[in-house]
Amino acid sequence: MKLIKNISFFIVLAIIITLIGKALESKFLFTYLQENIIGLLLTLLAINTATLGLIASKIQDIITQYPKFDFSSTIKEMKVSLLEQIILIAVSVICLLLLDSTKITYQYKSVVSNTILTAILIYAVNILWDTGKSVFVIIEQVQIMNKKKK
């Protein structure tokens, strides 16, 4: 349910951004996304993967010290995060193929495509934000465990 709520929020936010861009007659963001979204998503995937590797090593350290801790849900979420990013890349490729297609035409094709690409960017940044927050959660938990040891 939370995933559907988040996706809906990202789409609404993307619609607002697209409408503002259209009202301002600015194509900057949309041109940038059309030309760079795949590279940007791959970069964010690389950053996320490196961060998740750091988190996994810290989890391993914690498990060594506290074998009763269960991180199975955390590990599952880490896998889901990577899968979400791969899906975003695939959806971006499909969106760009349809946008560039001369066989598929309709009145609001660019508006719909720009909205989808903007929503994808927002979603990808949210994933990165979530991963970044998890680093601080682990740091806080390690500090709490170290205080309890003393």
Side-chain angles (χ1 to χ4, degrees):
M1 188 63 162
K2 184 180 176 186
L3 179 64
I4 293 170
K5 181 186 83 162
N6 285 346
I7 291 172
S8 299
F9 176 71
F10 300 150
I11 291 171
V12 168
L13 194 56
I15 289 170
I16 292 168
I17 291 169
T18 302
L19 292 176
I20 289 171
K22 192 167 176 63
L24 295 174
E25 297 180 6
S26 173
K27 295 181 181 180
F28 167 75
L29 176 63
F30 312 119
T31 302
Y32 177 80
L33 289 176
Q34 290 170 18
E35 293 174 358
N36 300 300
I37 189 76
I38 303 301
L40 184 61
L41 291 175
L42 288 171
T43 302
L44 291 175
L45 176 61
I47 292 167
N48 196 30
T49 302
T51 306
L52 291 176
L54 171 73
I55 292 169
S57 70
K58 283 297 178 191
I59 287 173
Q60 187 61 40
D61 293 345
I62 293 169
I63 290 174
T64 302
Q65 289 181 335
Y66 305 94
K68 294 188 181 200
F69 275 25
D70 181 22
F71 286 99
S72 58
S73 63
T74 304
I75 293 168
K76 179 182 174 194
E77 286 300 316
M78 290 166 67
K79 290 177 184 177
V80 167
S81 170
L82 293 175
L83 178 62
E84 285 174 329
Q85 287 187 288
I86 303 241
I87 290 170
L88 290 177
I89 292 168
V91 172
S92 295
V93 169
I94 292 167
C95 183
L96 290 171
L97 286 172
L98 295 175
L99 179 62
D100 194 49
S101 173
T102 55
K103 301 269 185 195
I104 299 172
T105 58
Y106 54 95
Q107 187 175 359
Y108 297 106
K109 180 178 173 180
S110 66
V111 173
V112 170
S113 297
N114 289 338
T115 300
I116 292 169
L117 292 174
T118 304
I120 287 170
L121 175 65
I122 294 167
Y123 196 150
V125 169
N126 182 67
I127 291 170
L128 188 64
W129 169 259
D130 196 40
T131 303
K133 285 190 314 186
S134 66
V135 171
F136 295 107
V137 168
I138 287 178
I139 291 169
E140 290 170 356
Q141 290 303 314
V142 168
Q143 287 175 342
I144 289 169
M145 289 184 300
N146 287 337
K147 285 180 183 177
K148 287 181 180 179
K149 271 179 115 174
K150 293 179 181 181

